[in-house]
Amino acid sequence: QVQLVESGGGLVQAGGSLRLSCAVSGSILRENVMGWYRQAPGKQRELVADRTSRGSTNYADSVKGRFTISRDNAVNTVYLQMDSLKPEDTAVYYCNLKFPAVAANYWGQGTQVTVSS
């Protein structure tokens, strides 16, 4: 059973920074994509950033230049460094793991990020 555990959310003032972490249990043997999604109250879930096991990255336009996704494959962990945070970044952030070859998709429980003005 694949388990994803997020940490690092919290309260921060506009302009501040947070780093989210997501640790995945077990070894990952197949090509995969790890990423972060977010959902604000009353809004649809959206992709924030993701990174493939080969190193390619994808960012939402709203976070380009402010957020950075990285992976430490030795410990099966993905990070989201969030700088210059804005109130509109407030949301529950969810870690995601995909295995495209077998159409498998896994989610963490979510961590709250709140940015005050």
Side-chain angles (χ1 to χ4, degrees):
Q1 180 69 252
V2 176
Q3 300 286 333
L4 284 70
V5 180
E6 302 110 327
S7 63
L11 300 169
V12 65
Q13 292 184 334
S17 298
L18 286 172
R19 187 181 72 165
L20 306 183
S21 299
C22 175
V24 181
S25 64
S27 63
I28 301 175
L29 302 178
R30 299 180 183 273
E31 293 185 358
N32 62 86
V33 183
M34 296 186 69
W36 293 92
Y37 292 73
R38 67 186 181 188
Q39 186 168 19
K43 297 184 178 180
Q44 294 183 331
R45 184 175 59 188
E46 64 176 352
L47 173 69
V48 178
D50 61 27
R51 185 179 179 96
T52 72
S53 51
R54 293 185 177 273
S56 62
T57 58
N58 183 44
Y59 293 92
D61 288 341
S62 60
V63 307
K64 286 181 178 178
R66 299 189 298 120
F67 292 8
T68 304
I69 189 168
S70 61
R71 292 176 61 157
D72 186 343
N73 292 328
V75 293
N76 291 338
T77 301
V78 63
Y79 306 93
L80 185 68
Q81 178 66 43
M82 304 185 294
D83 298 321
S84 301
L85 283 162
K86 304 175 181 179
E88 51 263 45
D89 296 318
T90 296
V92 177
Y93 284 69
Y94 297 92
C95 184
N96 174 259
L97 171 63
K98 293 184 177 69
F99 295 97
V102 295
N105 196 29
Y106 301 92
W107 295 92
Q109 67 180 25
T111 184
Q112 176 71 46
V113 172
T114 302
V115 184
S116 64
S117 60

